[in-house]
Amino acid sequence: MVNEQVLNVVDVSKRVGKKRIIKDASFSVRSGRVTGLLGPNGAGKTTIIRMLVGLMSHDKGSIQIVGHSLTENFKEAMAHVGAIVENPEFYNYMTGMDNLKQFVRMTEKSIFEDTLNQVVKSVHLENNIDQKVKTYSLGMRQRLGVAQAILHEPDLLLLDEPMNGLDPQGMREFREMIQQLKEQGVGVLISSHQLSDMELICDDLVIVQKGEISYVGPMTAANQENKLVVLLETDQQEKVQVFLKEEGYSVSVDQNYLKLELTEDTRTTLVKQLVEAGFGIKELKVHVDSLEENFLRWTENGGL
């Protein structure tokens, strides 16, 4: 079912020595939606992904996958997960298809040839699947990795920096592939430090900085958080500054301008109030923060 919770992370922490590298992380992933786990390099994204697949333990909190506790029912939980952590590894001397068949032999679920062919087609490898993996480009290896991760039809797909090194064509094909999985009801969590890539693919965002979650929510809400910054020059700057503060505005001075953070509605009200009070407006400049600027603000301008 679309929009059911397939991953629920609650107050998860991880300590290495005396240092807490992940601090009370909480977020969820829902079926049929793509969630971006974003943050600067070194923010803790890969650590979180590694904990989600059991490659690292967590010291505190809970991780549930399709209702199964990762610590109490590890096998049942992981049966619902497909993942690529860091770089996908293959037998280079074997073909892509032989690599997939080798993976099938290691799984407990019965996977038939029709399913294999369908998965290969879904990742756009049907023309290259019988070539040896050593001839594959980075993009082809990434697609083969996704094919391996979704062979058993997981409810949750975890991808750690999957677009690193891809050329524009490879990135486009990757986005199309993720869109298809989303339409099939798979919940996808993608870690990345590249906001521009995630804007085109994600429904939801989880922003992490120095091991702490600084934003969780839908991409649309993240865009709506954009601030409207007004730079104002009038014929009586000092009097206008006093007037605006009396009217309840937060005003600062930026070089020759008065600076205010407003909404679109309050900008109209501001102009009307100034005109009715008899002040002359010489210049009014408006700047809207982009999603990238918000991202830098959420991550304290760190590490991009």
Side-chain angles (χ1 to χ4, degrees), residues 3-35:
N3 209 31
E4 287 189 347
Q5 195 174 81
V6 293
L7 172 67
N8 190 29
V9 178
V10 179
D11 293 334
V12 165
S13 296
K14 175 65 179 177
R15 186 181 295 275
V16 175
K18 295 182 179 180
K19 184 178 180 181
R20 275 207 307 168
I21 58 173
I22 302 296
K23 307 167 188 175
D24 300 318
S26 295
F27 63 92
S28 62
V29 175
R30 307 192 78 84
S31 58
R33 294 181 71 83
V34 179
T35 299

Side-chain angles (χ1 to χ4, degrees), residues 106-282:
M106 293 186 290
T107 65
E108 294 184 358
K109 185 175 181 179
S110 296
I111 300 172
F112 300 103
E113 191 165 345
D114 286 348
T115 302
L116 267 173
N117 292 331
Q118 183 179 348
V119 168
V120 168
K121 187 175 181 180
S122 73
V123 298
H124 308 294
L125 272 179
E126 59 268 34
N127 295 326
N128 310 99
I129 198 64
D130 292 320
Q131 296 176 14
K132 290 185 177 180
V133 169
K134 66 182 179 182
T135 67
Y136 279 18
S137 66
L138 178 59
M140 290 162 65
R141 293 178 69 91
Q142 291 285 36
R143 280 182 275 162
L144 185 61
V146 173
Q148 180 176 287
I150 65 175
L151 267 177
H152 61 298
E153 300 179 332
D155 297 292
L156 174 65
L157 180 62
L158 305 174
L159 302 173
D160 183 24
E161 299 279 3
M163 290 188 280
N164 274 358
L166 295 186
D167 60 21
Q169 179 65 25
M171 291 170 66
R172 179 178 178 179
E173 290 176 353
F174 177 83
R175 289 194 297 269
E176 291 173 351
M177 180 174 56
I178 295 301
Q179 180 63 31
Q180 289 178 3
L181 292 171
K182 171 183 167 180
E183 290 170 358
Q184 294 167 17
V186 179
V188 184
L189 178 67
I190 303 177
S191 78
S192 179
H193 65 283
Q194 297 289 351
L195 180 61
S196 57
D197 298 336
M198 294 296 95
E199 278 190 272
L200 299 174
I201 199 171
C202 291
D203 304 296
D204 305 297
L205 290 179
V206 177
I207 310 293
V208 59
Q209 164 72 1
K210 296 179 181 177
E212 295 187 75
I213 304 295
S214 57
Y215 174 85
V216 176
M219 177 71 79
T220 51
N223 280 304
Q224 289 168 0
E225 282 201 12
N226 295 350
K227 294 182 297 182
L228 192 71
V229 178
V230 172
L231 297 178
L232 176 68
E233 184 180 7
T234 69
D235 55 358
Q236 302 178 66
Q237 290 289 78
E238 291 183 3
K239 288 186 178 180
V240 169
Q241 185 176 4
V242 172
F243 171 77
L244 291 176
K245 287 183 176 180
E246 290 174 348
E247 293 295 318
Y249 293 96
S250 177
V251 187
S252 60
V253 177
D254 186 348
Q255 297 181 5
N256 297 325
Y257 297 97
L258 299 177
K259 183 178 179 180
L260 306 91
E261 292 183 8
L262 306 171
T263 64
E264 191 65 43
D265 292 339
T266 53
R267 177 176 64 162
T268 304
T269 302
L270 169 72
V271 173
K272 183 179 179 182
Q273 288 174 313
L274 291 174
V275 171
E276 290 179 348
F279 296 114
I281 299 174
K282 289 184 176 180

Side-chain angles (χ1 to χ4, degrees), residues 86-116:
E86 297 177 337
N87 297 316
E89 296 293 337
F90 305 105
Y91 298 104
N92 286 328
Y93 63 89
M94 294 169 59
T95 68
M97 181 60 81
D98 286 340
N99 268 275
L100 293 181
K101 288 179 178 178
Q102 181 68 14
F103 179 76
V104 168
R105 284 192 280 270
M106 293 186 290
T107 65
E108 294 184 358
K109 185 175 181 179
S110 296
I111 300 172
F112 300 103
E113 191 165 345
D114 286 348
T115 302
L116 267 173

